Amino acid sequence: MKKQRGAFRRRSDLFEALPDDIVISILYKLSSTASSPSDFVAVLLTCKRLNNLGLHPLVLSKSCSKALAVRAKNWCEEAHRFLKLCVNAGNTEAYYMLGMIRFYCLQNRGSGASLMAKAAIKSHAPALYSLALIQFNGSGGLKNDKDLRAGVALCARAAFLGHIDALRELGHCLQDGYGVRKNITEGRRLLVQANARELASVLRVFNNSPSPPSSGWQFHNHQQPRPTPPPSYQTGAPNPLPNPSDFDIQLFSDYGFNLTGREMHPANRFLVEWFGSREDGFPGLGIRICSYKGCGRPETRKNEFRRCSGCGKVNYCSRGCQAHDWRVHHKVECAPMEEWVGHAIDDVDEEEEDNMNGDDDVVDDDPTVEINEGEVHGIQI
């Protein structure tokens, strides 16, 4: 028993003898490659030394987005404090994550927008795109607070940094002349470029894979049934498939194929869980959430988002979300507006027939008053 205690003390002494710089470099590598917050927190709870050094500004400044992916069900003051520590350390992902939470969930518009702006200054593409949507929609203010030119400028910067949704949004702006001089040719070129970048990301992953899967399994034509994957590429095989979340392929169906969707950003996943956990499912009375399930952004005032021009039943915060949801979900359930408008007209006709049949219980709620031409004096009609 004494020998075991002595061996344990010697091993403990070896760890204590390590310089702080080496331990910090190890924690720095861990925080930048962690796949979840639990991977990083579990190490910090090992001992007091790791707990203290794990909160070093150098370690927190390089924590990746997955290490900061707080879930809405686990949100508490401690989680808020941890994100603030990362913000104070200058972590760009923490700027964006906490900014989105404060702006949309905690309704602290000024602080949230300020944090996202700090991330945008550091060329964080998702933050630039989020700020562009805020400018396009006038989020956090009135309808007249929209700044289309600022939204286009932010979108252009995010597109330059490789954000595909921003590139697609910018293409639509040029096509429609929305916040920028109309240029249909350039807008179409940007939309084709966005699709080409998605294609390139897929091919890049397949080329880097040691044994790329057959195209017939990973993506299939809408006209043909989906083939069964070969045994060598099934789950648990020696050569696993690349993770579909490693590349953005949701809009790859522009080429006639259907692919698995990308992984949501931790900030968007937090918004989806936060508002999905509410009893009514909405952030407030008359306030709607973006219908694309991978977004989670809510309206900050009534009728802020655009409705689908086909059915009028769904709404989106951006053209990018509308394009994603159309190809993934809404395409199969969108009913023409004329269909439900026709049903409404039929209902009105039925009510008129009931009135003609002697139903006198209907009250005329029309507030308009008929004015005869002779009753108006000094008023030009």
Side-chain angles (χ1 to χ4, degrees), residues 135-148 301-304:
Q135 297 296 333
F136 282 139
N137 298 322
S139 301
L142 302 176
K143 184 178 181 179
N144 296 331
D145 294 332
K146 294 181 180 181
D147 193 339
L148 304 185
R301 66 175 186 279
K302 293 183 179 180
N303 302 321
E304 177 182 335

Side-chain angles (χ1 to χ4, degrees), residues 119-141:
I121 291 174
K122 295 187 176 183
S123 298
H124 189 269
L128 286 164
Y129 180 63
S130 295
L131 289 175
L133 297 186
I134 290 175
Q135 297 296 333
F136 282 139
N137 298 322
S139 301

Side-chain angles (χ1 to χ4, degrees), residues 106-181:
L106 305 182
Q107 299 185 5
N108 190 345
R109 314 294 188 194
S111 176
S114 176
L115 289 174
M116 283 189 280
K118 291 181 180 179
I121 291 174
K122 295 187 176 183
S123 298
H124 189 269
L128 286 164
Y129 180 63
S130 295
L131 289 175
L133 297 186
I134 290 175
Q135 297 296 333
F136 282 139
N137 298 322
S139 301
L142 302 176
K143 184 178 181 179
N144 296 331
D145 294 332
K146 294 181 180 181
D147 193 339
L148 304 185
R149 296 182 63 182
V152 170
L154 291 167
C155 226
R157 177 59 178 167
F160 175 78
L161 295 174
H163 198 282
I164 298 178
D165 285 343
L167 185 62
R168 181 168 285 106
E169 192 82 17
L170 185 61
H172 283 294
C173 289
L174 286 169
Q175 273 194 328
D176 303 336
Y178 191 72
V180 67
R181 181 177 298 177

Side-chain angles (χ1 to χ4, degrees), residues 27-38:
L27 294 174
Y28 169 89
K29 181 66 175 179
L30 174 63
S31 65
S32 60
T33 58
S35 59
S36 65
S38 58

Side-chain angles (χ1 to χ4, degrees), residues 114-316:
S114 176
L115 289 174
M116 283 189 280
K118 291 181 180 179
I121 291 174
K122 295 187 176 183
S123 298
H124 189 269
L128 286 164
Y129 180 63
S130 295
L131 289 175
L133 297 186
I134 290 175
Q135 297 296 333
F136 282 139
N137 298 322
S139 301
L142 302 176
K143 184 178 181 179
N144 296 331
D145 294 332
K146 294 181 180 181
D147 193 339
L148 304 185
R149 296 182 63 182
V152 170
L154 291 167
C155 226
R157 177 59 178 167
F160 175 78
L161 295 174
H163 198 282
I164 298 178
D165 285 343
L167 185 62
R168 181 168 285 106
E169 192 82 17
L170 185 61
H172 283 294
C173 289
L174 286 169
Q175 273 194 328
D176 303 336
Y178 191 72
V180 67
R181 181 177 298 177
K182 190 173 184 178
N183 191 335
I184 298 178
T185 303
E186 183 66 14
R188 289 178 179 176
R189 187 187 71 82
L190 292 181
L191 293 177
V192 172
Q193 185 178 355
N195 290 337
R197 288 190 180 184
E198 289 177 338
L199 173 60
S201 64
V202 175
L203 297 180
R204 188 182 305 113
V205 174
F206 285 171
N207 291 333
N208 294 335
S209 177
S211 55
S214 62
S215 61
W217 177 45
Q218 271 295 2
F219 46 90
H220 57 282
N221 195 287
H222 291 303
Q223 306 299 329
Q224 301 176 356
R226 183 170 185 170
T228 305
S232 59
Y233 296 122
Q234 292 179 355
T235 306
N239 296 323
L241 292 173
N243 187 359
S245 63
D246 293 339
F247 40 81
D248 187 3
I249 54 180
Q250 267 190 329
L251 294 181
F252 197 63
S253 57
D254 288 347
Y255 304 97
F257 299 99
N258 185 17
L259 285 173
T260 307
R262 63 177 177 179
E263 183 181 359
M264 281 192 296
H265 190 280
N268 295 106
R269 182 186 294 111
F270 187 95
L271 296 182
V272 171
E273 294 177 352
W274 178 274
F275 295 111
S277 62
R278 298 175 64 94
E279 295 181 357
D280 53 3
F282 292 94
L285 183 62
I287 302 298
R288 303 166 298 182
I289 300 178
C290 180
S291 297
Y292 174 49
K293 297 181 180 179
C295 176
R297 289 182 177 87
E299 292 181 324
T300 59
R301 66 175 186 279
K302 293 183 179 180
N303 302 321
E304 177 182 335
F305 294 162
R306 302 182 185 91
R307 286 184 179 272
C308 174
S309 59
C311 63
K313 298 179 181 179
V314 294
N315 49 90
Y316 302 100

